[in-house]
Amino acid sequence: MRAAIFHENGGPEVVRIEEVARPRPGPGEVLVEVRAAALNHLDLWVRRGIPIDTTMPHIGGSDVAGVIAEVGAGVDHGRVGERVVVNPSLWCGRCRECARGEESMCAEYRILGEHTDGGFAEFVAAAADRAYAIPDELSFEEAAALPISYQTAWRALLARARLRPTEDVLVIGASGGTAIAAVQIARLAGARVFAVTSGAENVRRLREIGAAFVYDRDVEDWSKAVFRDTGRRGVDVVVENVGAATWAGSVRALARGGRLVTYGATAGPRVEIDVRVLFWKQLEIIGTTMASRSEFEEMLRAVVTGGLRPVVDSVMPLDQAREAHERLEAGGQFGKIVLVP
Ligand code: ZN
């Protein structure tokens, strides 16, 4: 089968299209014929060599949608031909965290496509119980846009930041897939959404998906603007994924009792915090990553019950995997970049 593979870490130029052996589904696994696979920032980190415990040579791709082509031992043969989207989360299933349904806190937590070969290929093997029927409402490209971004935003807002209807949410860096997911999920939860992005086109598109206030970071000081537009109160929740470049503004934008939830550091991991502000304003700084099994399933149900529709930036052939890496790295996208074999 054809796959986008790299044999060494580095820039987008290490990604090559090669003929490799088709994986075989092990016991409890299905072989998915990939119809669409979305890129994540995770793919860039893995290609660059962070984390270091990936397989090499490596096929990336954690967000996969396709059709079940074969099943391994112990899996119902009736599933062959089923349209599925894969939850890329891997966990041990035996520890205390797994037992209480906090799979993303499992010490052995891994991600398909990061710690194993993924879906930037014609086929990928996945655990049968992580392959979910795609809601009829979604195309393969839309389904592939869901798993990482939408489960991450779902957990960040609803479980970790405990977002309530009527609250104000500020989403930073709101042209990336997960930040857009956060805007949509916050709207679905009944919150009022503020967003920071750059460029007039992104401002327009964020308003279109329901953000009430959108700030162009190249044009205005957004943390001051948030203060103004909330009647000098600040927001209840800030969703952070940028890190060093935006952290101070994000903290400044919080109301008393506000919660800052972070799942990324695309522009630098080291930040400062004034402890006096932390206790005096009674703030919470909350980390989050991925989601539990039940949160993933709730998110998938919201496609049907809440009309959640992932935003696809562009669809490119698998042969252009390198160009797709370059496009994501350049940061000009709005929503998910999807590869089709
Ligand atoms: Zn576990």
Side-chain angles (χ1 to χ4, degrees), residues 27-262:
E29 289 188 335
V30 293
L31 183 71
V32 178
E33 184 184 341
V34 179
R35 296 295 175 83
L39 263 85
N40 289 283
H41 266 277
L42 178 62
D43 293 298
L44 305 183
W45 295 119
V46 171
R47 193 205 66 218
R48 291 171 193 156
I50 314 159
I52 51 167
D53 56 342
T54 54
T55 54
M56 193 67 81
H58 188 76
I59 302 170
S62 304
D63 280 346
V64 177
V67 175
I68 294 181
E70 279 176 43
V71 296
V75 181
D76 176 11
H77 275 270
R79 294 198 67 185
V80 172
E82 190 182 329
R83 273 165 37 100
V84 291
V85 57
V86 176
N87 179 0
S89 304
L90 311 170
W91 56 80
C92 82
R94 300 177 304 272
C95 70
R96 201 186 312 187
E97 283 65 34
C98 286
R100 64 187 171 93
E102 284 288 9
E103 290 88 356
S104 68
M105 290 187 179
C106 174
E108 291 178 38
Y109 191 78
R110 299 286 184 272
I111 299 176
L112 176 97
E114 178 185 0
H115 303 94
T116 69
D117 278 339
F120 294 151
E122 290 179 288
F123 293 90
V124 64
D129 70 348
R130 312 295 142 87
Y132 291 84
I134 297 174
D136 294 338
E137 288 84 347
L138 298 187
S139 64
F140 286 114
E141 290 83 0
E142 289 172 320
L146 279 176
I148 288 198
S149 286
Y150 284 76
Q151 72 175 298
T152 300
W154 189 272
R155 174 174 176 80
L157 283 169
L158 305 181
R160 301 291 289 153
R162 311 178 306 279
L163 179 66
R164 294 181 291 265
T166 78
E167 284 193 318
D168 288 339
V169 180
L170 172 64
V171 181
I172 307 294
S175 60
T178 308
I180 290 170
V183 169
Q184 293 176 305
I185 291 165
R187 286 291 298 132
L188 208 57
R192 185 167 66 155
V193 177
F194 299 67
V196 179
T197 186
S198 69
E201 179 59 13
N202 285 350
V203 169
R204 187 189 68 74
R205 297 195 64 178
L206 283 161
R207 289 217 175 94
E208 211 172 77
I209 60 167
F213 295 88
V214 186
Y215 311 107
D216 187 334
R217 65 166 190 260
D218 302 327
V219 174
E220 62 183 325
D221 179 339
W222 50 269
S223 71
K224 276 188 187 154
V226 167
F227 208 54
R228 176 193 70 212
D229 292 335
T230 53
R232 306 185 61 76
R233 180 178 174 270
V235 296
D236 303 286
V237 172
V238 173
V239 179
E240 249 291 343
N241 69 319
V242 178
T246 53
W247 187 265
S250 293
V251 172
R252 211 158 38 229
L254 285 169
R256 283 161 202 279
R259 291 93 74 198
L260 186 159
V261 64
T262 178

Side-chain angles (χ1 to χ4, degrees), residues 280-296:
W280 188 246
K281 288 177 77 178
Q282 306 192 49
L283 306 179
E284 291 176 59
I285 308 289
I286 303 168
T288 191
T289 195
M290 298 294 283
S292 66
R293 180 205 293 261
S294 64
E295 287 154 1
F296 179 89

